[in-house]
Amino acid sequence: MMGQHTRSESLFYYFRLEDQVPGDHLLRLIDKHVDFGFVRERLKESYSDTGRPSIDPELLLRILLIGYRYGISSERKLVEELRMHLAWRWFTGLGFDQEVPHHSTFSKNRHGRFQESKLFEQLFERIAAQCLEAGLVGGDKLSVDGTFVEANASKESRIPREQLAKAAQVNRTVREYLADLEMQNPVEQPTHSQDQVSTTDPDSTYATKGGTPARMGYYNNYLVDNHSCIIVGVQATGARLSEESGAAEDMIARFAQWQGRKPQSIAADASYGNGEFLQWLMDREITPYIPTRDAVAPTRSPFFGPERFTYEPESNSYICPAGQQLNYGGRNDRNRAFAYIGIRNKCGPCLLKPKCTRGAFRFLAIHMNEAARQRARDLRNTPEFEHAQRPRKKVEALFAQLKSHIGIHRLRLRRLKFVQEQFFLAATAQNIKRLVRFLNGSTNTPDACHCLRADGQKTVSFSQTCQPNPRNRH
């Protein structure tokens, strides 16, 4: 006989949250392997010894991590879901007789105690350090890349920079922005120096990438360990290619400081192949597996390229393919290049002149960091370069996960300092899942990439989102 379920509701239910969460649930693994107790110690000085007890800051942090882990960027929506989700209540320690914090509590703490103490940055570094201690991170071979993330501002909100003072009279965001500029060190550069500034998010940059329409946004820069896909560096910058290299230098320097040693190699795409960054790596004996960012025009030119000229260090000159000398002619600081000039009466009758120049003599511009650029060109023809570039593509998969799974395809917070915190929390959520699965010995995760343990002794299976091409597993 067919049964029929009748909806009924009891006045009381007798069960334990502990019994409702499976033993292999991700939140149970996080609670087992990650210690959040440092939060109260970190923020102890921010609370008074007297008065009414506040909401536990560790509770707020756990709730925020749930949102970033499960792709809920709205704190109002997160609080609504938390009321109904058993596993989330168990992870946060909230019983059914305890009220969920109001969504405005997160904003107040983020703009106050969390921002002042750099809590999210410390949490990210603690998780990355735990990955290093567990043997998951090798730390010797790294990759760096950046992605454009749209800001919570429209391009119609831009006004000329000279009108900011007037707009500050009625716009609190602009007032805070101008006040922050006054407090900054005068030698520091602003986030961007555009002629027009958004009154909604003054730190955001009007830019485009990949042929898409121009929008207001930021760059999220990741430094990633090639062995494990663990993110070991995060930095938010203005949406300018020129800022990516500076962010890479900062992330590498910070990672080397708390790791206690510098990495052996860095892999990146051609946007990092400028002479300044390559020279920075060369000075620190870090091997750059990076294509050089050479100008397009010389490759299409019918004339001899700089590679056809031989440098003579004794006389600081170059020898052309015809054996004639080009003497040093000064430096151009704006283009960061040294000039070498041929002799008119030697270049004029030269038989190779049609292949060299249309002018009366050959002019050769050599980048100030040409030695570092040439070193990078030489490395490009080695098997090690191809081997380093394959795992570099995992960074792009992490960005895809950031935008699709975590939901940061468009930022919710405004101003660079809060965008930076949002990126720290997102990277922490990405790292935590890989860490706890590794510590638990699990080989069945839907969200990481096939990687080797740093010591090469144990293979750990991570998600396919982190591995765009299955043939590139190592």
Side-chain angles (χ1 to χ4, degrees):
M1 183 176 68
M2 180 183 296
Q4 181 176 354
H5 174 72
T6 304
R7 179 185 293 273
S8 62
E9 183 174 353
S10 300
L11 184 60
F12 299 102
Y13 291 91
Y14 298 94
F15 69 93
R16 296 171 65 237
L17 277 175
E18 180 72 25
D19 299 334
Q20 307 306 312
V21 182
D24 59 349
H25 194 279
L26 176 63
L27 294 181
R28 188 178 285 278
L29 298 181
I30 294 175
D31 186 72
K32 175 183 177 181
H33 294 292
V34 180
D35 181 15
F36 297 101
F38 79 97
V39 175
R40 285 187 292 274
E41 182 65 26
R42 178 74 175 178
L43 299 175
K44 185 167 61 175
E45 300 299 327
S46 301
Y47 290 89
S48 173
D49 295 331
T50 60
R52 182 181 177 184
S54 70
I55 298 177
D56 188 350
E58 180 181 340
L59 168 63
L60 298 178
L61 181 61
R62 283 174 176 259
I63 295 175
L64 285 174
L65 279 176
I66 287 175
Y68 279 84
R69 182 57 262 170
Y70 292 100
I72 303 177
S73 59
S74 169
E75 288 155 4
R76 189 187 299 267
K77 178 67 174 177
L78 177 61
V79 168
E80 293 175 359
E81 294 291 333
L82 180 58
R83 290 193 175 96
M84 301 180 289
H85 204 294
L86 295 180
W88 295 6
R89 278 188 174 269
W90 175 87
F91 180 71
T92 57
L94 288 171
F96 284 105
D97 57 342
Q98 294 177 292
E99 183 60 30
V100 177
H102 194 266
H103 63 83
S104 63
T105 307
F106 299 96
S107 178
K108 293 176 182 177
N109 281 272
R110 182 173 59 248
H111 287 78
R113 300 182 182 95
F114 292 173
Q115 170 67 28
E116 295 166 359
S117 63
K118 297 184 177 181
L119 178 65
F120 300 137
E121 180 178 358
Q122 185 179 16
L123 173 64
F124 166 78
E125 291 186 349
R126 287 176 68 94
I127 296 300
Q130 189 173 351
C131 293
L132 186 67
E133 294 169 2
L136 181 56
V137 172
D140 52 347
K141 298 177 182 178
L142 308 178
S143 296
V144 64
D145 203 355
T147 186
F148 178 87
V149 183
E150 186 177 358
N152 188 5
S154 68
K155 59 183 179 181
E156 287 78 15
S157 65
R158 295 181 301 154
I159 62 173
R161 182 175 291 274
E162 55 269 18
Q163 296 180 11
L164 285 178
K166 182 178 180 180
Q169 299 175 9
V170 295
N171 190 308
R172 186 183 68 178
T173 302
V174 177
R175 284 199 301 272
E176 294 174 351
Y177 170 71
L178 294 178
D180 289 344
L181 288 182
E182 289 292 332
M183 296 175 61
Q184 287 179 359
N185 190 324
V187 302
E188 293 182 355
Q189 295 294 326
T191 307
H192 63 76
S193 56
Q194 297 182 117
D195 295 333
Q196 291 191 323
V197 181
S198 169
T199 56
T200 306
D201 186 355
D203 287 337
S204 61
T205 309
Y206 185 61
T208 182
K209 188 174 184 180
T212 59
R215 298 165 291 168
M216 309 301 298
Y218 295 88
Y219 274 173
N220 183 13
N221 301 277
Y222 273 1
L223 181 66
V224 177
D225 177 67
N226 288 353
H227 291 287
S228 59
C229 293
I230 293 294
I231 305 163
V232 296
V234 181
Q235 187 156 325
T237 64
R240 287 285 179 268
L241 288 176
S242 58
E243 297 189 37
E244 283 189 312
S245 298
E249 294 176 8
D250 293 341
M251 291 188 294
I252 295 170
R254 285 199 301 269
F255 176 70
Q257 182 177 7
W258 61 262
Q259 183 187 217
R261 59 185 175 88
K262 63 179 183 294
Q264 296 178 3
S265 66
I266 297 292
D269 59 28
S271 62
Y272 294 85
N274 58 81
E276 293 78 9
F277 182 55
L278 295 173
Q279 185 66 51
W280 187 87
L281 294 174
M282 184 176 179
D283 293 341
R284 287 154 182 79
E285 299 179 346
I286 301 175
T287 304
Y289 294 117
I290 306 172
T292 56
R293 195 167 66 191
D294 295 319
V296 177
T299 61
R300 298 178 179 176
S301 172
F303 304 122
F304 293 138
E307 71 280 356
R308 298 293 303 272
F309 294 77
T310 305
Y311 181 65
E312 295 290 339
E314 297 81 6
S315 59
N316 187 22
S317 62
Y318 275 83
I319 305 300
C320 74
Q324 301 298 329
Q325 188 176 34
L326 279 71
N327 299 316
Y328 177 67
R331 57 186 291 169
N332 187 326
D333 291 327
R334 181 178 181 181
N335 295 331
R336 299 192 57 80
F338 296 115
Y340 292 87
I341 305 172
I343 302 174
R344 184 186 301 266
N345 59 6
K346 294 292 182 69
C347 292
C350 180
L351 297 178
L352 296 180
K353 183 182 178 183
K355 297 181 179 180
C356 191
T357 181
R358 292 191 183 97
F361 52 86
R362 176 60 191 256
F363 176 87
L364 185 64
I366 300 296
H367 196 279
M368 293 179 181
N369 305 122
E370 186 60 26
R373 286 157 54 89
Q374 187 57 49
R375 179 191 179 213
R377 293 191 194 99
D378 295 339
L379 289 170
R380 188 169 186 176
N381 299 320
T382 63
E384 291 78 11
F385 179 90
E386 295 297 330
H387 183 73
Q389 284 291 313
R390 284 196 295 269
R392 183 195 65 79
K393 297 178 182 178
K394 298 173 185 175
V395 188
E396 299 173 3
L398 287 172
F399 288 143
Q401 183 189 76
L402 173 78
K403 297 178 181 181
S404 60
H405 294 182
I406 298 180
I408 306 185
H409 53 84
R410 188 175 191 268
L411 293 164
R412 187 177 59 84
L413 304 181
R414 295 164 178 161
R415 299 297 309 278
L416 181 65
K417 55 186 176 182
F418 298 119
V419 169
Q420 176 76 28
E421 292 181 351
Q422 196 169 359
F423 289 162
F424 272 130
L425 273 176
T428 300
Q430 290 177 292
N431 282 347
I432 280 181
K433 184 168 186 178
R434 291 175 173 81
L435 172 64
V436 299
R437 295 291 190 184
F438 177 80
L439 294 176
N440 198 55
S442 172
T443 60
N444 184 24
T445 70
D447 193 21
C449 46
H450 282 350
C451 303
L452 290 177
R453 178 172 169 158
D455 56 15
Q457 297 179 358
K458 180 179 180 180
T459 302
V460 182
S461 178
F462 292 112
S463 115
Q464 310 230 347
T465 29
C466 213
Q467 184 66 54
N469 187 345
R471 293 177 297 178
N472 289 343
R473 297 173 183 173
H474 64 286

